[in-house]
Amino acid sequence: MNENKFMTVFKQNAIWLVFIAEIAIFAYFNPKFLSVPNIVNISRQVSYYGIASIGMTFVILIAGIDLSIGSIIALVNVVCAYLMMNMGWNMWLAILVSILMAILIGVLNGWMVASIGIPAIIATFASQTIFRGCAYLLSGGLPIPGVVLEHPTFGFFARWALNRWDIFKSMGQVGLIPICAIIMVICFAAGSFILNKSYFGRYFYAIGGNEEASELSGIRVNKMKYLIYALSGFFAGLAGIVLLSRSGSAQSTAAIGFEFEVITCVVLGGVSVAGGIGRMSGVVAGVLIIGSLKSGMIMMNVSEYTQMVVQGLVLAVAVGIDCFSKKRQAS
Amino acid sequence: MYEISHLLKEYFAELDPLRRREILDSLPADDDTEFLRALYASRYSDHENKGRKNVDWWLWRCICLQILYGRGRFLRTFRNREVAGIIGELFMNDSHHTFLYHEYRNTARRYLSTCNSANYASRMMGFRQASDEEKVIRACQDIWQMSAGIAKSAGVEAEMHLWVESFRDELYEYSPVCREEYERLNK
């Protein structure tokens, strides 16, 4: 392997080296960081923003942004819990309606961006405010407690498997792996398939790279934007369900500032804010880095406010590196 | 090299598919025109049968080549297989070098014509528009990636020789800065 090829491989996988270095540092300062319960806990924590980051990856790939995902999560939480607890709906029906609502919010975002031409940051910021308000209105600002979701996606499978093998010790885990982490892995696999193996993925890259050329080459750019924002809404909705299943209580204040964590994961994973560049494997690394960083800081008794400062710095550095490399290419 | 008649010059200079069709229809019926018709049919057909009109299939394949250039090393086998497919689709193995050279240049020119749009090469989710100079540099990078870059990376320089040459020549005419940038990228 010559020097150039080595550098290319190194650059493409540098994010994983950062992840390993981070793990090593936290493990050095606190050996319990690498304990099985902590790893299980990290995988549980990262699951819902891992799921949401898939939709955000698609959006950022077309040089857009979705600031409404935190509010979608809160609204899905509240609507699903409201339908189940206050109206007595069946769990599956409540989940289905909640996720459909999340997709519709995504379609609304797509309509504002693609058809009306509102800049994505403004359109989705408006959605963020509107739907956070809806969540407050529906819940009256109060939590809806006592929601029991039997890990919806795998509920049937888990119940079936529980009766057969001892390895399935509890409803929340398959062996040592939390079910929400399994859902995240499946979503990442699906996201990776869409990006690398489907024509839609190719369209996402094309639109992010050169929108006008994409239009001339036959891609229906506006329709694609609808689809991408709808997908972002879908993954945010799914993340909301996973969060609800974890917390057992719906809160209209859930996931405030969540979109910035997700954007940090995605940009840290090498997805360019200019669009057209990025890989799902990088996003996985970004999610793991942020999850480990949060867990490591908690274990080192770093205050919540300091954690916010660190996360903000990570976002600034990640975007800064992206902008700097673009500037260097252009100069 | 690659000299053509006046009428053909007009045909290859035109970017609008409908106008090109008109010129093509006015050409005398012979073997060369038949080949040009085959090229036209291949280029402006909806190969995916999605009911779209005036699709520039070759432009799409240019974009695909650029995306394939950016693919990670772990997917190289799949990538190289797709590049080989595109080489066949774009007549790169054909012997009508003169016509192909000009058709490829026309494709490159059509791509470059999109590089002046407001949101091309913009930064920060479209909030910061690129300067003219930045757009030219980015266009050079795009053209290099979809021609010499992918040919080198996939090890098909011989097969893509005409494609690379025509894209390079078109780029050199696009802006005086392009030659320097192209040569820098080629190193």
Side-chain angles (χ1 to χ4, degrees):
Chain A
M1 192 186 287
N2 66 32
E3 199 181 334
N4 268 350
K5 279 183 183 170
F6 175 77
M7 282 311 290
T8 311
V9 175
F10 179 79
K11 276 181 191 169
Q12 281 175 353
N13 298 292
I15 189 75
W16 288 102
L17 296 178
V18 173
F19 175 58
I20 292 166
E22 185 195 23
I23 297 279
I25 291 166
F26 282 129
Y28 176 77
F29 285 109
N30 191 337
K32 282 185 183 171
F33 183 79
L34 282 179
S35 64
V36 173
N38 191 50
I39 292 170
V40 170
N41 193 37
I42 291 174
S43 66
R44 197 173 277 134
Q45 278 177 352
V46 298
S47 58
Y48 75 103
Y49 50 93
I51 294 168
S53 68
I54 299 162
M56 186 66 89
T57 302
F58 297 156
V59 172
I60 294 182
L61 269 179
I62 60 153
I65 193 165
D66 189 350
L67 296 181
S68 66
I69 58 171
S71 298
I72 293 176
I73 287 174
L75 190 61
V76 161
N77 251 271
V78 169
V79 167
C80 187
Y82 187 88
L83 293 175
M84 282 174 67
M85 307 305 289
N86 294 7
M87 297 179 74
W89 281 32
N90 170 280
M91 179 188 79
W92 294 101
L93 194 59
I95 289 171
L96 184 70
V97 169
S98 309
I99 290 184
L100 277 177
M101 181 196 65
I103 293 172
L104 282 177
I105 295 172
V107 171
L108 176 73
N109 285 335
W111 176 69
M112 287 195 282
V113 173
S115 297
I116 301 195
I118 304 173
I121 199 163
I122 307 293
T124 57
F125 181 67
S127 292
Q128 183 195 64
T129 315
I130 293 166
F131 296 109
R132 179 70 66 179
C134 291
Y136 280 120
L137 281 172
L138 192 64
S139 67
L142 299 169
I144 305 174
V147 185
V148 180
L149 297 182
E150 289 178 335
H151 292 282
T153 312
F154 283 107
F156 289 131
F157 171 72
R159 251 176 277 140
W160 172 79
L162 260 171
N163 297 329
R164 281 161 181 78
W165 298 302
D166 290 340
I167 193 172
F168 296 93
K169 286 176 184 161
S170 72
M171 287 299 282
Q173 292 180 201
V174 176
L176 284 171
I177 307 165
I179 288 175
C180 48
I182 297 174
I183 297 173
M184 178 184 74
V185 170
I186 292 171
C187 288
F188 268 122
S192 188
F193 178 82
I194 291 171
L195 274 192
N196 295 315
K197 290 279 162 212
S198 76
Y199 256 88
F200 290 118
R202 194 62 65 84
Y203 293 164
F204 299 169
Y205 282 109
I207 294 169
N210 187 342
E211 198 175 310
E212 203 180 323
S214 307
E215 188 89 54
L216 286 178
S217 63
I219 300 174
R220 293 188 171 105
V221 173
N222 279 3
K223 277 190 181 174
M224 276 295 128
K225 284 185 179 173
Y226 274 83
L227 174 75
I228 287 163
Y229 281 97
L231 278 173
S232 178
F234 167 75
F235 282 110
L238 196 58
I241 296 295
V242 167
L243 180 65
L244 185 62
S245 75
R246 266 189 65 203
S247 62
S249 163
Q251 312 242 10
S252 48
T253 52
I256 286 179
F258 177 78
E259 45 283 330
F260 293 104
E261 280 182 22
V262 173
I263 291 168
T264 309
C265 294
V266 173
V267 177
L268 195 63
V271 180
S272 172
V273 287
I277 298 168
R279 288 183 299 156
M280 202 49 88
S281 59
V283 178
V284 175
V287 167
L288 292 176
I289 286 173
I290 294 297
S292 311
L293 184 69
K294 285 173 86 171
S295 172
M297 285 194 294
I298 291 167
M299 290 183 87
M300 288 170 74
N301 291 324
V302 175
S303 77
E304 201 180 329
Y305 305 129
T306 315
Q307 286 182 38
M308 286 170 73
V309 173
V310 172
Q311 279 182 42
L313 284 173
V314 170
L315 176 61
V317 169
V319 176
I321 290 171
D322 178 44
C323 291
F324 178 73
S325 64
K326 286 274 173 303
K327 201 173 175 182
R328 218 176 58 163
Q329 275 178 1
S331 63
Chain B
M1 212 175 170
Y2 308 126
E3 285 302 313
I4 45 172
S5 69
H6 176 72
L7 197 58
L8 282 176
K9 265 184 191 162
E10 192 191 344
Y11 174 71
F12 286 118
E14 184 58 54
L15 293 180
D16 178 25
L18 298 177
R19 176 74 194 118
R20 293 192 89 204
R21 176 91 232 179
E22 284 170 19
I23 301 171
L24 188 61
D25 288 341
S26 68
L27 293 174
D30 55 20
D31 286 351
D32 288 348
T33 308
E34 270 313 299
F35 182 69
L36 287 177
R37 278 185 208 284
L39 286 186
Y40 186 95
S42 163
R43 184 168 166 186
Y44 300 110
S45 294
D46 181 3
H47 289 242
E48 290 170 355
N49 296 317
K50 289 185 177 169
R52 297 169 298 194
K53 283 180 184 171
N54 299 326
V55 169
D56 193 336
W57 179 253
W58 285 24
L59 191 63
W60 171 238
R61 295 323 256 163
C62 288
I63 296 170
C64 288
L65 285 172
Q66 193 196 354
I67 294 169
L68 289 170
Y69 172 80
R71 277 279 155 86
R73 291 180 64 81
F74 298 112
L75 295 165
R76 275 181 82 174
T77 316
F78 296 110
R79 184 192 69 174
N80 292 353
R81 203 179 298 158
E82 193 174 342
V83 171
I86 294 174
I87 286 172
E89 269 179 49
L90 301 183
F91 295 78
M92 286 186 205
N93 298 321
D94 204 279
S95 56
H96 290 77
H97 284 187
T98 303
F99 289 157
L100 283 170
Y101 172 81
H102 288 286
E103 192 67 34
Y104 292 159
R105 280 194 68 160
N106 184 282
T107 312
R109 200 176 314 127
R110 194 152 199 226
Y111 183 85
L112 288 167
S113 73
T114 66
C115 298
N116 283 322
S117 64
N119 58 0
Y120 179 70
S122 61
R123 293 196 196 144
M124 297 307 298
M125 292 116 183
F127 260 72
R128 187 193 166 293
Q129 285 195 356
S131 66
D132 287 345
E133 195 188 342
E134 285 171 338
K135 283 180 183 174
V136 169
I137 297 291
R138 170 74 189 277
C140 291
Q141 289 164 358
D142 286 357
I143 290 289
W144 182 82
Q145 286 174 2
M146 61 182 67
S147 55
I150 186 69
K152 245 184 205 179
S153 174
V156 285
E157 284 155 297
E159 293 90 332
M160 290 182 76
H161 170 74
L162 192 63
W163 176 265
V164 173
E165 189 186 352
S166 56
F167 271 57
R168 183 201 60 205
D169 292 351
E170 191 57 43
L171 189 67
Y172 284 180
E173 275 187 19
Y174 182 63
S175 164
V177 218
C178 290
R179 183 181 291 267
E180 196 187 330
E181 178 64 14
Y182 189 89
E183 280 165 7
R184 187 187 69 77
L185 289 164
N186 239 355
K187 276 178 191 168

